[in-house]
């Protein structure tokens, strides 16, 4: 692969990868992870560049996430075939590569700043942090329950199961002898 091709692929890959990392529109637990990632990258960018007007901002990260989504998914309201939308995605990717190489785009500037920070080398500790936080919350809840609340009321006795439906007669298909 030629170096220009490799650089183009890398630029698109960076966009798609980080668009997923910083996408806070997902309402699952990924939303919380993306929010933490945003905070971390903004802090790293400001620490590295010492510039409060750095290109890595909440707005630029939202634009980056949206650009990646546009390149990887067809919105429901778009009435283009998959083939036509893939063609549009290809055009968007090619335009992005040109802007990235010229650093003529706010998303390209944002990615460029992300790539020169220590953020890209940081190993996330999210699993350990979440496990520790969950243990602390469970311990606090147990202590709070023990000290403040009385024991929960006993559960009512279970209801008897409903009567079984009447047995159906076996199905017969006739005598084939």
């Amino acid at each position: 692969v030629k170096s220009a091709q490799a650089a183009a692929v890398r630029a698109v890959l960076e966009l798609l990868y980080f668009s997923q990392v910083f996408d806070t529109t997902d309402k699952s637990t990924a939303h919380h992870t993306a929010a933490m990632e945003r905070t971390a990258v903004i802090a790293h960018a400001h620490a590295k560049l010492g510039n409060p007007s750095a290109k890595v901002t909440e707005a630029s990260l939202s634009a980056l996430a949206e650009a990646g989504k546009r390149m990887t998914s067809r919105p429901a309201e778009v009435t283009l075939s998959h083939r036509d939308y893939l063609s549009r995605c290809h055009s968007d990717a090619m335009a992005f590569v040109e802007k990235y190489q010229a650093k003529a785009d706010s998303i390209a500037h944002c990615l460029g700043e992300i790539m020169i920070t220590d953020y890209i080398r940081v190993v996330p500790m999210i699993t350990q942090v979440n496990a520790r936080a969950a243990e602390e919350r469970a311990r606090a809840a147990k202590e709070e329950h023990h000290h403040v609340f009385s024991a929960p009321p006993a559960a009512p006795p279970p209801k008897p199961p409903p009567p079984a439906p009447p047995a159906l007669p076996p199905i017969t298909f006739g005598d084939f002898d």
Side-chain angles (χ1 to χ4, degrees), residues 82-177:
H82 291 293
R83 178 182 170 186
D84 291 342
Y85 200 78
L86 277 170
S87 178
R88 181 176 170 182
C89 292
H90 178 263
S91 296
D92 287 348
M94 295 301 290
F96 171 74
V97 167
E98 288 177 21
K99 291 176 183 176
Y100 184 85
Q101 290 170 341
K103 299 292 185 219
D105 179 81
S106 62
I107 295 170
H109 284 290
C110 178
L111 280 171
E113 287 190 8
I114 290 169
M115 298 308 292
I116 64 170
T117 67
D118 291 334
Y119 169 77
I120 63 169
R121 288 184 288 284
V122 172
V123 177
M125 302 299 283
I126 295 170
T127 303
Q128 290 84 358
V129 170
N130 285 344
R132 193 174 20 230
E135 289 172 5
E136 289 173 7
R137 282 192 308 270
R139 186 174 38 256
K142 185 176 180 181
E143 289 173 6
E144 181 178 314
H145 179 76
H146 176 71
H147 295 295
V148 177
F149 299 105
S150 61
K159 294 182 179 180
L168 298 174
I171 299 174
T172 57
F173 295 100
D175 189 5
F176 295 104
D177 291 332

Side-chain angles (χ1 to χ4, degrees), residues 2-37:
K2 297 178 184 170
S3 62
Q5 290 172 325
V9 169
R10 185 165 186 90
V12 172
L13 185 59
E14 288 172 7
L15 170 68
L16 297 178
Y17 177 82
F18 284 116
S19 74
Q20 297 289 314
V21 170
F22 301 127
D23 182 10
T24 57
T25 61
D26 183 353
K27 298 303 180 201
S28 68
T29 56
H31 169 80
H32 300 292
T33 302
M36 288 187 293
E37 292 286 352

